[in-house]
Amino acid sequence: MPEEITTESVVSNIMETISDSVSKHKEEFFPGEKTRPRKLFGREKPVHHCLGGGKSADVLLWRNKKISAGLLGGAAITWILFEWLNYHFLTLLSFGIVMGMLVQFAWRNVSSSVPRLVIPDEVFVNAGEVVGAEVNHVLGYLQDVACEGTMKQFLVVAGCLFAAAIVGGWCDFLTLIFIGFVAAHTLPVLYEKYEDQIDDFAYSVLEQLQHNYRKLDAGVLSKLPKTKFTGKKID
């Protein structure tokens, strides 16, 4: 009987093809050299540890498939409601509050007591501190590049922001968030399963990009003035 074709088998075949192709290229350019496994960003610890460990890493790596599938399905439903069905946030919020009040009203008629719903203040305080620290870190870096960085640093940052602006023009903010959420819940688990093949392929691509960057640096970027921007010192 013919072997059943599944998504997992297709992905496995793709990864094996990439791994074989990378090995052949390494043998062509570096004959006789023993290939040692290299991890992205010099990683030595498991993927679960790099993601912070704990429950959050378990969700991203699908240790508990029910929770991970529920979060991914909830994000998909939310995106469909806002993007395809053109619902508005205030409308859904009002309907959700009404449904919650109806549930509590029915619960009160059945039971003598209804638990009080209270979100601890620490949740909002911690969230605000984390967001504020990250925003200030990014603003400080951009300010350092603009006021004290070199022309090369300025052009690199400006190019990255320009690329982000182009990507942002392809779809709205909600779609970008949804794409990022889906990527966060699919890419880590795929990487953990096929990390050796992905690492080999990624390093071959990075080596090619570094080679192209060295040519660009030697031909263009190295000729730019290396003096820092002059301006008033910012306290």
Side-chain angles (χ1 to χ4, degrees), residues 68-173:
S68 300
L71 290 175
L72 193 59
I77 292 174
T78 303
W79 181 75
I80 290 173
L81 287 175
F82 283 106
E83 291 297 320
W84 283 10
L85 302 181
N86 293 324
Y87 275 84
H88 299 284
F89 177 75
L90 184 59
T91 303
L92 291 178
L93 180 63
S94 300
F95 285 157
I97 292 176
V98 170
M99 293 298 297
M101 294 178 65
L102 289 175
V103 170
Q104 291 189 355
F105 178 77
W107 194 342
R108 180 65 180 84
N109 292 331
V110 175
S111 177
S112 59
S113 62
V114 178
R116 179 69 64 180
L117 301 177
V118 177
I119 300 177
D121 296 338
E122 291 79 8
V123 174
F124 301 100
V125 174
N126 294 335
E129 289 179 352
V130 171
V131 173
E134 293 298 328
V135 170
N136 287 331
H137 177 73
V138 173
L139 290 177
Y141 173 76
L142 295 177
Q143 194 172 37
D144 290 340
V145 171
C147 299
E148 301 177 0
T150 62
M151 179 67 73
K152 182 189 297 186
Q153 293 174 330
F154 185 86
L155 291 178
V156 171
V157 173
C160 293
L161 293 175
F162 183 71
I166 294 177
V167 174
W170 295 343
C171 52
D172 56 22
F173 185 66

